[in-house]
Each structure stands twice: as structure tokens, then as C-alpha cells.
Amino acid sequence: MKSCSGILSLLLCALLFVVPAVAEQTEGEQLYQSCAACHGPQAQGIPALKSPALAGLNADYITRQLIHFKTRIRGNNDDPFAAQMLQSVKVLADEQAIKQVADYLATLDVPKIEPSLEGDAKRGQNLYNGSCGACHGASGQGNPALHAPRLANQHTDYLVRQLRAFKQGKRGTEQADKYGRQMAMMATSLNIEKDIPDILSYLQTRQEN
């Protein structure tokens, strides 16, 4: 009987630690439902709505971008799709709610994206390694330590649009957006019409299944 009692006590203690984590994840999932209409039920993104995939992105990166939208560091520079987020993010009351959503999204499997660009993937690999890989990882997997998001398993039209935004001064111009300003500087070295199709063709080959 003492042995059974000891096992029961251990199980009860374990539940005390597990239940709060489950409740927090459930809260994040519930909060995400207001985002699912645009970003998809599994956060896979919806190209027709110009919305990126969010599933599997690093939680710190998602948190930072949502805070930037909420504080208008991002979304004020003549970018209509970013401007939509200025309204959408209002449903997240505070930074705790933002973090709960970000933590939930980080637990989701990255989506498989159908290739939509044809380019020279070999040339793209060389360009990517020379300009992007040091921060975003050799396979576009992202690097949380450098605050660089995943680029693989992302819709190519979204990536093209963001690179244009960086290059045209529609993103990464605010003083408070340190990492955005770094990307804006890097984007100036890329030719959108010539280089980007090849780089993204390479990234299409680096998706996680």
C-alpha cells in the first residue's frame, strides 16, 4: 500500500506541473482563432490572401513582429498588407497574449509549400550562401541566436514582397527595428528581378517535409 501511495503522490505532483503548460497552450490556440481566417487553420498561410505561413516560426521572432505591429514600428510605410495587420493585432490585448499565440505557433509543424518559382537553383544556392546563409542558416532554417527567421517552408510570393519592401524603404526603416534595418541594408545588394527567383528556387529545394 505504501508503494501505491507513493506512486499516486508522484503522479499528482507531475499533473501539477503539466496542467499549467497545457492551459497556456490552449489559451494560445484559442487566441489564434482570430488569425486563422487569414493565416489558415494550421497557420500554413494563404497565398490568395497574401498571408505568410506562421507555423513553426521561432516564438521570439513572431513575438517581436506582433509587438512591432502593435506599436506601429511596422506597417506604416505604404504597405497595404502590413497595414491590415495594424488592425488585426488589436485583438491581442497585451504582450502576454502575443507571447501565448507565438508559443502556440512555434509548436506547429512547418507546412509543405508548393513550388511556385522557376529559377536556377544552383546559382541561387551560391547567391544565398553569399548573402543570406550566414544569418538565416545554410538551408534557410533560421537562426534564433541571430534573430533571423526561417525562410524555407515559406510562400515565395510573401518572401518576394518582403524583399521589395525592405529594398523600397517600406520595411526596416524605424530606428527601433534593429534587425529590420539590418535586412534593409542586405536587401540593397540583391537584384529583385534577376537574383531573387534563383535564391527562392534554391530555398524551395530546402523545405522540411
Side-chain angles (χ1 to χ4, degrees):
M1 290 296 293
K2 287 184 178 180
S3 177
C4 291
S5 176
I7 292 173
L8 181 59
S9 296
L10 288 173
L11 288 173
L12 288 173
C13 288
L15 284 173
L16 288 175
F17 288 101
V18 171
V19 170
V22 173
E24 184 177 352
Q25 183 172 345
T26 301
E27 181 67 19
E29 185 173 3
Q30 290 174 349
L31 288 167
Y32 174 73
Q33 299 315 303
S34 63
C35 315
C38 290
H39 290 279
Q42 298 301 314
Q44 75 276 16
I46 303 177
L49 298 179
K50 311 297 184 184
S51 61
L54 302 177
L57 285 174
N58 177 264
D60 287 342
Y61 173 77
I62 298 174
T63 297
R64 185 166 66 254
Q65 296 309 309
L66 289 173
I67 290 174
H68 282 182
F69 280 121
K70 201 166 184 66
T71 57
R72 294 181 173 266
I73 291 173
R74 182 178 172 189
N76 286 322
N77 294 329
D78 193 29
D79 182 345
F81 304 110
Q84 292 175 8
M85 276 299 300
L86 296 179
Q87 298 302 315
S88 299
V89 78
K90 289 180 179 180
V91 303
L92 301 175
D94 50 31
E95 289 191 20
Q96 180 181 359
I98 286 173
K99 187 176 186 305
Q100 287 171 328
V101 169
D103 287 345
Y104 165 68
L105 290 170
T107 69
L108 299 179
D109 292 335
V110 296
K112 180 68 174 179
I113 305 297
E114 290 298 322
S116 59
L117 277 179
E118 293 185 5
D120 185 341
K122 183 64 176 177
R123 177 176 181 270
Q125 181 178 7
N126 292 333
L127 288 168
Y128 177 84
N129 287 336
S131 299
C132 318
C135 290
H136 291 278
S139 296
Q141 74 273 22
N143 187 337
L146 296 178
H147 308 280
R150 168 187 294 279
L151 300 179
N153 297 84
Q154 183 59 268
H155 299 285
T156 53
D157 65 332
Y158 173 77
L159 293 176
V160 170
R161 194 164 66 252
Q162 295 311 301
L163 284 168
R164 288 187 186 277
F166 281 121
K167 199 172 180 70
Q168 296 170 359
K170 296 180 180 180
R171 182 177 174 186
T173 60
E174 295 289 341
Q175 188 67 25
D177 187 4
K178 175 182 176 181
Y179 306 113
R181 288 189 289 110
Q182 290 176 356
M183 258 309 302
M185 181 178 64
M186 290 302 302
T188 61
S189 67
L190 298 174
N191 184 307
I192 297 294
E193 307 304 329
K194 182 180 178 181
D195 297 338
I196 298 308
D198 292 345
I199 289 174
L200 296 186
S201 293
Y202 166 67
L203 287 174
Q204 288 177 162
T205 71
R206 308 308 299 171
Q207 293 193 64
E208 289 186 10
N209 296 323

